[in-house]
């Protein structure tokens, strides 16, 4: 075929004449040629310019052949070497059968970029559709859809038009076989393979096409990825079918991008269902399954958010019934209790009623409803995962993904693996020589990978220890500034305690450290995974997923684990305090408020979770918008025939292979926040719900307006993320049980209520939960440097949060029997809660099958019908062959019977 490298004037005039004659009255025809009368109305154009074709099209200049892929490149100082690579690469593409057409740099906006347009003809498409075993329709499906849901009219406001939800009819499909083209429903060869399938096939060819000279075998010189990395080409991408804000002028273009923008990416459609079938048709199954999962996760979050809001409302309504907080705030009770210093030298003695506000705040999240909510979330997460499996199974059936994984494992070998693995061995299944990685090299790479992971996780732990040291050091500084509210800073001291100030500043610093470490972890995880040289794309993504999530898990949750399970647990008591780096250290371990550490865990969770979501939305929405605003503005107001479709897409952001990986990672980290520590903050699911409603539309807006069209790829499920979600779900039951037992003050209050309470009242609980210490026995290093006037000669003892015998007791300062009772109650609560939740989880998982019964029945029915149609097709084919053989070559009766039996036996 002849590659076109310029715009000859005569050829252009002939094309324009033919195209103009085929234009429709409304100007939508013409296969990419702009209406001349419109161009004549624009001032400043010469006659030649008026005859220029409309380049805002997805077709070659002939208006017939569709552009399936576009490569761009520029001339630079290494032009000769790169030009030679391009020449060899394009020559090999032409040998394969692809058709090429080049747009000269003089026709581009920047006057320096060349665009190579690629078209895959019918013969190439059928060949590689057979190789890739792409499923195509062979008969219209006669299986009816599932029955209408009762009270369907209630969901009518949330529905989209039927042609958007189902952009194409349901067909029976079967892997394409080039030898059986007459078996499939081929009405139009140009539209039989949709654009997403066409660009997937072309990319498969580009990724494996060599660019070495003929007669030489240099395996590393293969594939478009390497050409992009060495700068031979600057970009490679399929085209969007139209501009997102208006339909395509060409009636043959689908304008699916416009429909997605109007019905999916618009923020006014936040309450509408997602057009998953259209997303899958335009972007491929892999992106479609992500949005299906995100939408289902958001729907399930609604129920968790409602229950969390009810529990929080219960805490607000029971505000006045909180006897413990009333006692703390009472001047005659909390005002007469002198507490021991919370740090050495800088911290003074203080009165219990100074924590009045924090005790009220703690009650909002630490009440009886929190226990119920923790149990509810343990069951909710099981229902979410089980129902998602059913939803996923339905999508697998509807999108023809049931048998895909086996094909993917066999066919989708990474080009990097083929290039870097020079050793070959015989595959016992395919009986073909294939590359492989020796065991010694694999073990060495695994050891280096494990050592690197351990080193970076140790770095995270070191940063957390540094933040803890900051908390211990700065607490004394805040304590010396924010003193008792009866003294200097009354307004600030009433609302901001030293504990709160320390917790907020430490959480902000920890969030900054998390964001900085994330920058490095992404690159380290990718480097480690590349070094391991996974064989398939699926294996690559799974390995990267596990490493990245492990890094993020430790990075995001380690500070919350410290506050939940370590802070205030290893404090000691006056005269025998515990120190972070031993007794010689001045960093004394932190204590919790009299109301418990739960409010500090809530603060930590809110800051890290909200900060991450806010920063994520800024990165996803504002930064791409600012980056592309100028280009989009210029493109939108530029005449269509002056700004080609490939140039419009070229200035957009590139959607990398790991684009969805970061989207999944963001949502899974959020899932960890709302499950692992939800007992401390029942409103976490509500915040996640609001974020996800925005997230869906932001992601949709990015895909339709800011990103180039990604290469369509298949995926039957969410991959390794499902196992991660299952693991987080199991761990969340344990963490919430321990939070309720050891971080919350719920168990000690219940023990007091049922053992020491008078008339089932909580009166006296505060006094009961505080132990007594003789001030004269406090070592000098623990005493404050200066004493307040109110303290002098007012008391000989101070109180601290623990259950120990008072001074003068035979076992003074040792744990009382009540301490052991409370500890036993905590352990019993953990065991009971875990067993109850796990039993319910496993029972629910057993009761709910992973695949819906109607999907099983429909799948079996479809398999049966496919086999029946194939059998009938083969029988008819054999009949035609036999009849043809009788006519062309008359044979003896015996030989004819023998041939017939052979043919029939082969068919069977």
């Amino acid at each position: 075929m002849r590659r076109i490298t310029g715009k000859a004037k005569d050829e252009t005039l002939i094309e324009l004449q033919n195209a103009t004659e085929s234009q429709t009255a409304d100007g939508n025809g013409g296969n990419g040629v702009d209406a001349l009368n419109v161009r004549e109305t624009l001032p400043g154009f010469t006659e030649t310019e008026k005859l220029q074709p409309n380049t805002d099209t997805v077709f070659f200049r002939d208006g017939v052949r569709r552009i399936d892929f576009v490569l761009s490149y520029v001339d630079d100082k290494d032009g000769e070497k790169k030009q030679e690579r391009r020449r060899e690469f394009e020559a090999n593409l032409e040998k394969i059968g692809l058709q090429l057409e080049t747009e000269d740099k003089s026709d581009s906006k920047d006057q320096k970029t060349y665009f190579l347009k690629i078209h895959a003809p019918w013969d190439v498409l059928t060949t590689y559709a057979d190789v890739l075993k792409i499923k195509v329709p062979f008969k219209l499906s006669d299986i009816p859809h599932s029955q209408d849901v009762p009270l369907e009219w209630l969901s009518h406001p949330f529905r989209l038009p039927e042609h958007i939800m189902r952009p194409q009819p349901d067909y029976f499909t079967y892997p394409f076989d080039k030898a059986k083209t007459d078996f499939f429903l081929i009405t139009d060869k140009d539209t039989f393979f949709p654009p997403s399938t066409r660009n997937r096939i072309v990319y498969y060819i580009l990724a494996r096409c060599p660019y070495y000279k003929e007669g030489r075998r240099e395996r590393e010189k293969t594939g478009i990825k390497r050409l992009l990395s060495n700068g031979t080409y600057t970009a490679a991408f399929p085209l969007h079918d139209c501009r997102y804000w208006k339909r395509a002028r060409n009636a043959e273009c689908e304008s699916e991008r416009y429909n997605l923008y109007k019905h999916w990416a618009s923020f006014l459609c936040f309450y509408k269902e997602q057009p998953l079938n259209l997303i899958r048709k335009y972007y491929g199954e892999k992106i479609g399954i992500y949005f299906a999962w995100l939408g289902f996760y958001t729907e399930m979050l609604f129920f968790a958010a409602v229950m969390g809001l009810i529990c929080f409302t219960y805490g607000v309504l029971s505000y006045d019934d909180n006897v413990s907080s009333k006692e703390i705030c009472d001047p005659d009770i909390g005002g007469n209790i002198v507490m021991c210093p919370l740090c050495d030298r800088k911290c003074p003695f203080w009165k219990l009623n100074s924590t009045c506000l924090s005790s009220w705040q703690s009650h909002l999240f630490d009440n009886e409803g929190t226990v119920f909510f923790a149990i509810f979330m343990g069951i909710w997460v099981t229902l979410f995962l089980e129902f998602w499996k059913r939803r996923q199974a339905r999508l697998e059936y509807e999108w023809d993904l049931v048998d895909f994984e086996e094909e993917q494992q066999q066919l989708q070998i990474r080009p990097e693996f083929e290039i870097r693995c020079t050793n070959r061995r015989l595959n016992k299944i395919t009986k073909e020589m294939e590359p492989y990685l020796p065991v010694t090299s694999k073990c060495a790479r695994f050891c280096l990978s494990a050592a690197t992971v351990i080193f970076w996780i140790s770095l995270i732990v070191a940063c957390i220890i540094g933040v803890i040291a900051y908390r211990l050091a700065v607490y004394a500084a805040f304590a010396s500034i924010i003193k008792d509210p009866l003294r200097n800073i009354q307004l600030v001291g009433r609302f901001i305690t030293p504990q709160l100030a320390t917790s907020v500043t430490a959480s902000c610093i920890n969030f900054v450290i998390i964001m900085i470490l994330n920058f490095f972890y992404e690159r380290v995880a990718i480097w480690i995974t590349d070094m391991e040289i996974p064989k398939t794309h699926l294996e690559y993504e799974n390995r990267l997923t596990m490493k990245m999530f492990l890094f993020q898990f430790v990075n995001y949750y380690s500070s919350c684990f410290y506050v939940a399970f370590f802070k205030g647990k290893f404090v000691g008591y006056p005269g025998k305090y515990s120190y972070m780096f031993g007794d010689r250290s001045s960093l004394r371990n932190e204590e919790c408020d009299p109301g418990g550490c739960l409010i500090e865990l809530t603060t930590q969770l809110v800051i890290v979770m909200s900060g991450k979501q806010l920063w994520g939305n800024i990165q996803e929405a504002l930064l791409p918008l600012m980056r592309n605003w100028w280009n989009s503005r210029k493109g939108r107001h530029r005449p269509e025939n002056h700004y080609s479709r490939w140039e419009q897409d070229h200035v957009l952001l590139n959607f990398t292979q790991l684009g969805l990986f970061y989207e999944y990672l963001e949502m899974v980290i959020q899932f960890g926040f709302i499950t692992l520590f939800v007992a401390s903050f029942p409103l976490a699911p509500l915040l996640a719900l609001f974020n996800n409603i925005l997230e869906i539309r932001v992601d949709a807006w990015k895909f339709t307006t800011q990103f180039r069209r990604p290469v369509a790829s298949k995926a039957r499920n969410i991959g390794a993320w499902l196992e991660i979600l299952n693991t987080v779900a199991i761990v969340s039951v344990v963490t919430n049980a321990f939070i309720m037992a050891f971080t919350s003050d719920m168990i000690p209050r219940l023990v007091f209520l049922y053992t020491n309470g008078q008339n089932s009242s909580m009166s006296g609980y505060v006094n009961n939960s505080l132990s007594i210490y003789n001030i004269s026995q406090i070592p000098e290093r623990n005493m404050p440097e200066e004493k307040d006037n109110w303290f002098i000669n007012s008391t000989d003892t101070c109180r601290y949060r623990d259950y120990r015998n008072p001074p003068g007791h035979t076992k003074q300062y040792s744990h009382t029997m009540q301490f052991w009772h409370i500890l036993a109650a905590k352990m019993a609560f953990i065991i009971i809660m875990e067993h109850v939740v796990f039993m319910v989880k496993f029972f629910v998982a057993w009761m709910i099958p992973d695949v819906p019964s109607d999907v099983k029945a429909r799948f079996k029915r479809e398999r049966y019908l496919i086999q029946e149609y194939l059998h009938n097709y083969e029988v008819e084919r054999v009949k035609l062959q036999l009849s043809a053989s009788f006519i062309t070559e008359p044979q003896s009766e015996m030989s004819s019977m023998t041939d017939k039996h052979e043919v029939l036996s082969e068919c069977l």
Side-chain angles (χ1 to χ4, degrees):
M1 83 90 17
R2 183 176 62 87
R3 283 177 47 228
I4 304 173
T5 57
K7 288 188 177 179
K9 182 177 180 181
D10 295 337
E11 292 178 357
T12 303
L13 291 175
I14 293 173
E15 291 175 8
L16 279 172
Q17 183 179 0
N18 295 334
T20 304
E21 292 174 355
S22 63
Q23 277 187 318
T24 59
D26 58 358
N28 288 331
N31 290 334
V33 181
D34 198 5
L36 299 181
N37 56 347
V38 176
R39 293 305 311 268
E40 290 172 357
T41 60
L42 297 175
F45 290 102
T46 63
E47 288 296 323
T48 304
E49 288 176 325
K50 292 178 184 178
L51 294 175
Q52 295 216 354
N54 172 28
T55 56
D56 187 17
T57 178
V58 293
F59 292 95
F60 274 21
R61 296 193 196 103
D62 57 15
V64 177
R65 292 172 294 172
R66 190 183 187 99
I67 302 172
D68 297 314
F69 227 86
V70 172
L71 306 181
S72 66
Y73 60 91
V74 295
D75 291 332
D76 52 21
K77 58 183 179 181
D78 297 329
E80 293 183 3
K81 185 183 298 184
K82 293 179 180 178
Q83 187 176 4
E84 183 179 352
R85 293 187 195 132
R86 287 193 292 268
R87 189 184 307 113
E88 298 294 335
F89 185 68
E90 293 168 15
N92 289 330
L93 291 179
E94 290 180 336
K95 289 179 182 178
I96 293 173
L98 297 179
Q99 298 175 4
L100 312 179
E101 184 177 83
T102 303
E103 290 291 333
D104 192 79
K105 65 180 180 180
S106 60
D107 297 320
S108 63
K109 183 185 65 174
D110 58 7
Q111 298 291 305
K112 62 180 181 180
T113 304
Y114 294 88
F115 291 96
L116 177 67
K117 299 175 289 184
I118 302 175
H119 169 76
W122 172 253
D123 188 57
V124 174
L125 292 174
T126 54
T127 300
Y128 283 91
D130 195 352
V131 171
L132 296 174
K133 302 299 179 186
I134 294 175
K135 290 187 176 182
V136 294
F138 68 90
K139 188 181 187 303
L140 193 66
S141 175
D142 57 0
I143 300 178
H145 294 293
S146 56
Q147 296 180 353
D148 294 336
V149 180
L151 301 178
E152 184 184 3
W153 59 272
L154 292 175
S155 62
H156 185 73
F158 308 102
R159 293 187 175 276
L160 291 173
E162 186 66 18
H163 72 280
I164 299 298
M165 291 301 298
R166 296 187 177 275
Q168 56 189 3
D170 291 336
Y171 293 100
F172 290 135
T173 59
Y174 190 74
F176 187 82
D177 188 345
K178 194 174 181 180
K180 302 177 181 178
T181 53
D182 55 336
F183 175 69
F184 303 100
L185 287 177
I186 305 176
T187 56
D188 186 353
K189 292 182 178 181
D190 293 333
T191 59
F192 179 69
F193 293 104
S196 58
T197 302
R198 298 174 68 100
N199 71 55
R200 178 186 166 205
I201 291 175
V202 173
Y203 184 75
Y204 181 87
I205 297 173
L206 293 175
R208 286 159 177 78
C209 182
Y211 57 91
Y212 47 76
K213 292 183 179 179
E214 187 175 359
R216 299 178 61 181
R217 297 290 293 175
E218 300 169 278
R219 296 194 60 84
E220 70 278 0
K221 293 186 176 182
T222 304
I224 187 62
K225 285 187 176 181
R226 188 168 289 272
L227 290 172
L228 290 171
S229 63
N230 60 30
T232 303
Y233 291 100
T234 57
F237 53 92
L239 292 178
H240 285 292
D241 57 7
C242 65
R243 301 190 178 196
Y244 64 85
W245 64 87
K246 64 178 180 179
R247 296 185 181 276
R249 293 172 55 84
N250 192 338
E252 296 183 13
C253 290
E254 299 83 1
S255 298
E256 291 173 349
R257 186 190 187 191
Y258 168 79
N259 290 331
L260 286 170
Y261 177 75
K262 180 180 179 182
H263 298 283
W264 179 48
S266 174
F267 288 93
L268 297 178
C269 297
F270 72 93
Y271 61 95
K272 296 278 189 178
E273 59 183 338
Q274 296 187 87
L276 295 178
N277 289 321
L278 184 58
I279 297 171
R280 171 241 182 174
K281 184 174 182 289
Y282 192 74
Y283 291 113
E285 287 79 1
K286 190 172 184 179
I287 293 177
I289 205 77
Y290 162 73
F291 282 103
W293 175 81
L294 180 57
F296 182 79
Y297 171 47
T298 305
E299 292 173 10
M300 291 296 292
L301 269 178
F302 173 79
F303 302 101
V306 170
M307 189 57 63
L309 186 60
I310 292 174
C311 292
F312 178 76
T313 304
Y314 171 80
V316 174
L317 296 179
S318 61
Y319 201 74
D320 295 332
D321 299 331
N322 184 12
V323 177
S324 300
S325 295
K326 288 182 179 179
E327 290 184 349
I328 291 175
C329 299
D330 192 338
D332 296 329
I333 300 177
N336 290 328
I337 296 178
V338 178
M339 303 295 294
C340 299
L342 296 175
C343 63
D344 296 340
R345 308 300 294 169
K346 298 294 183 180
C347 296
F349 292 93
W350 52 286
K351 290 185 178 181
L352 183 60
N353 64 349
S354 63
T355 61
C356 175
L357 183 62
S358 64
S359 67
W360 285 114
Q361 294 171 344
S362 179
H363 173 74
L364 295 177
F365 306 104
D366 189 5
N367 52 68
E368 293 79 2
T370 308
V371 180
F372 168 78
F373 186 65
I375 297 174
F376 169 82
M377 288 301 295
I379 301 172
W380 173 88
V381 73
T382 303
L383 293 173
F384 163 64
L385 293 175
E386 292 302 318
F387 283 133
W388 164 247
K389 291 176 184 177
R390 291 169 60 85
R391 181 73 172 272
Q392 183 174 265
R394 192 177 296 277
L395 289 175
E396 286 180 12
Y397 165 73
E398 293 178 353
W399 291 357
D400 287 327
L401 300 171
V402 177
D403 301 323
F404 171 70
E405 190 163 349
E406 291 77 12
E407 301 167 13
Q408 188 182 45
Q409 290 286 351
Q410 295 173 6
L411 299 174
Q412 300 297 321
I413 297 177
R414 298 175 65 239
E416 294 84 352
F417 182 85
E418 296 176 336
I419 293 170
R420 297 176 64 179
C421 296
T422 57
N423 298 300
R424 295 288 185 275
R425 68 179 176 186
L426 183 67
N427 188 315
K428 295 181 180 179
I429 299 175
T430 62
K431 299 300 181 181
E432 295 180 358
M433 299 299 292
E434 66 175 11
Y436 81 101
L437 191 65
V439 177
T440 54
S441 176
K442 189 179 297 184
C443 291
R445 294 172 186 275
F446 176 78
C447 292
L448 180 59
S449 174
T452 307
V453 170
I454 293 173
F455 169 77
W456 282 93
I457 289 179
S458 302
L459 181 62
I460 300 175
V461 175
C463 292
I464 295 301
I465 293 175
V467 174
I468 295 173
Y470 162 83
R471 297 172 70 107
L472 301 180
V474 89
Y475 178 82
F478 281 120
S480 63
I481 297 174
I482 308 174
K483 296 190 177 182
D484 190 274
L486 298 177
R487 294 190 61 211
N488 300 326
I489 316 177
Q490 293 187 6
L491 181 61
V492 176
R494 183 178 299 276
F495 292 99
I496 303 180
T497 62
Q499 291 92 337
L500 180 61
T502 303
S503 179
V504 171
T505 56
S507 299
C508 293
I509 293 174
N510 185 71
F511 175 72
V512 173
I513 293 175
I514 288 173
M515 292 295 104
I516 295 174
L517 291 177
N518 276 345
F519 175 79
F520 296 101
Y521 291 152
E522 293 178 5
R523 287 150 181 80
V524 171
I526 293 174
W527 176 77
I528 295 173
T529 310
D530 288 338
M531 180 192 63
E532 294 176 355
I533 319 180
K535 184 177 181 179
T536 64
H537 292 286
L538 180 64
E539 186 180 356
Y540 180 89
E541 290 187 9
N542 288 344
R543 291 190 186 186
L544 179 62
T545 297
M546 299 305 296
K547 293 181 182 64
M548 196 67 184
F549 179 75
L550 183 61
F551 284 144
Q552 299 281 36
F553 184 91
V554 179
N555 195 20
Y556 277 106
Y557 303 143
S558 54
S559 58
C560 293
F561 272 104
Y562 163 72
V563 176
F565 306 123
F566 294 97
K567 182 180 177 181
K569 308 301 184 294
F570 309 99
V571 177
Y573 59 93
K576 197 176 181 180
Y577 286 116
S578 299
Y579 291 83
M580 183 176 180
F581 300 109
D583 293 339
R584 295 185 179 181
S585 171
S586 61
L587 298 177
R588 198 173 98 189
N589 289 345
E590 283 185 284
E591 296 186 40
C592 292
D593 278 342
C597 279
L598 195 70
I599 188 64
E600 291 194 45
L601 178 59
T602 303
T603 304
Q604 178 79 20
L605 182 64
V606 169
I607 290 177
V608 177
M609 179 181 174
S610 302
K612 182 186 182 306
Q613 293 184 165
L614 180 62
W615 177 248
N617 289 329
I618 291 175
Q619 282 185 312
E620 291 189 15
L622 295 182
L623 294 182
L625 182 62
M626 294 172 61
R627 188 181 303 164
N628 284 340
W629 175 80
W630 179 248
N631 288 329
S632 299
R633 179 176 177 271
K634 290 193 294 184
R636 187 161 185 158
H637 296 288
R638 188 183 299 270
E640 291 182 1
N641 57 347
H642 270 209
Y643 201 33
S644 63
R645 162 68 23 222
W646 41 92
E647 285 186 277
Q648 295 176 47
D649 288 5
H650 183 259
V651 299
L652 299 178
L653 298 175
N654 182 38
F655 187 78
T656 63
Q657 183 182 355
L658 298 177
L660 279 184
F661 169 80
Y662 296 110
E663 302 293 343
Y664 274 117
L665 181 63
E666 180 183 2
M667 289 295 102
V668 172
I669 293 297
Q670 181 202 86
F671 180 80
F673 279 123
I674 68 167
T675 54
L676 293 173
F677 309 103
V678 73
S680 66
F681 188 47
L683 294 180
L686 185 64
L687 293 181
L689 176 64
F690 289 147
N691 176 80
N692 287 9
I693 291 174
L694 179 64
E695 178 78 18
I696 291 175
R697 303 306 161 177
V698 168
D699 287 347
W701 173 79
K702 285 193 308 180
F703 271 93
T704 53
T705 66
Q706 303 300 304
F707 282 120
R708 298 170 187 161
R709 185 174 185 173
V711 179
S713 57
K714 286 182 174 288
R716 64 177 297 183
N717 50 42
I718 62 175
W721 297 111
L722 184 60
E723 294 302 320
I724 291 176
L725 292 174
N726 279 316
T727 304
V728 172
I730 294 173
V731 174
S732 67
V733 177
V734 180
T735 56
N736 283 299
F738 273 85
I739 288 173
M740 295 308 304
F742 289 98
T743 309
S744 169
D745 206 30
M746 182 59 59
I747 302 301
R749 290 202 296 264
L750 292 176
V751 171
F752 175 81
L753 180 65
Y754 292 112
T755 58
N756 299 330
Q758 299 177 358
N759 299 324
S760 299
S761 173
M762 289 297 295
S763 299
Y765 168 74
V766 172
N767 185 66
N768 177 266
S769 64
L770 299 175
S771 299
I772 304 174
Y773 198 84
N774 193 333
I775 294 178
S776 61
Q777 296 177 345
I778 298 178
E780 183 63 27
R781 65 174 297 186
N782 301 137
M783 290 291 288
E785 294 176 346
E786 58 180 17
K787 298 182 179 62
D788 295 317
N789 295 329
W790 62 266
F791 173 74
I792 299 174
N793 299 324
S794 63
T795 182
D796 296 329
T797 60
C798 64
R799 310 294 291 273
Y800 59 99
R801 196 170 187 267
D802 208 342
Y803 293 92
R804 294 181 182 271
N805 292 314
H809 194 275
T810 54
K811 295 182 180 180
Q812 67 174 5
Y813 306 137
S814 62
H815 284 122
T816 63
M817 188 57 64
Q818 187 178 4
F819 169 83
W820 300 109
H821 290 166
I822 292 174
L823 182 61
K826 290 179 177 180
M827 300 306 298
F829 173 82
I830 292 173
I831 294 173
I832 293 173
M833 178 177 172
E834 287 182 355
H835 279 70
V836 169
V837 174
F838 279 132
M839 287 178 62
V840 174
K841 281 169 64 70
F842 293 135
F843 178 75
V844 169
W846 175 75
M847 284 289 294
I848 303 175
D850 292 346
V851 181
S853 58
D854 65 311
V855 172
K856 286 183 180 179
R858 289 164 64 90
F859 178 69
K860 291 179 181 179
R861 171 68 176 164
E862 182 170 333
R863 279 287 178 93
Y864 168 76
L865 293 176
I866 289 174
Q867 293 299 324
E868 184 179 4
Y869 291 133
L870 277 172
H871 176 266
N872 295 336
Y873 169 79
E874 293 293 347
V875 169
E876 292 297 328
R877 191 175 182 182
V878 169
K879 289 180 179 179
L880 290 174
Q881 291 176 351
L882 291 175
S883 62
S885 64
F886 277 122
I887 295 173
T888 56
E889 297 182 9
Q891 297 178 346
S892 64
E893 184 177 352
M894 183 62 69
S895 62
S896 176
M897 292 295 294
T898 304
D899 293 341
K900 183 183 296 186
H901 283 297
E902 289 178 357
V903 173
L904 290 176
S905 62
E906 289 179 2
C907 294
L908 293 175

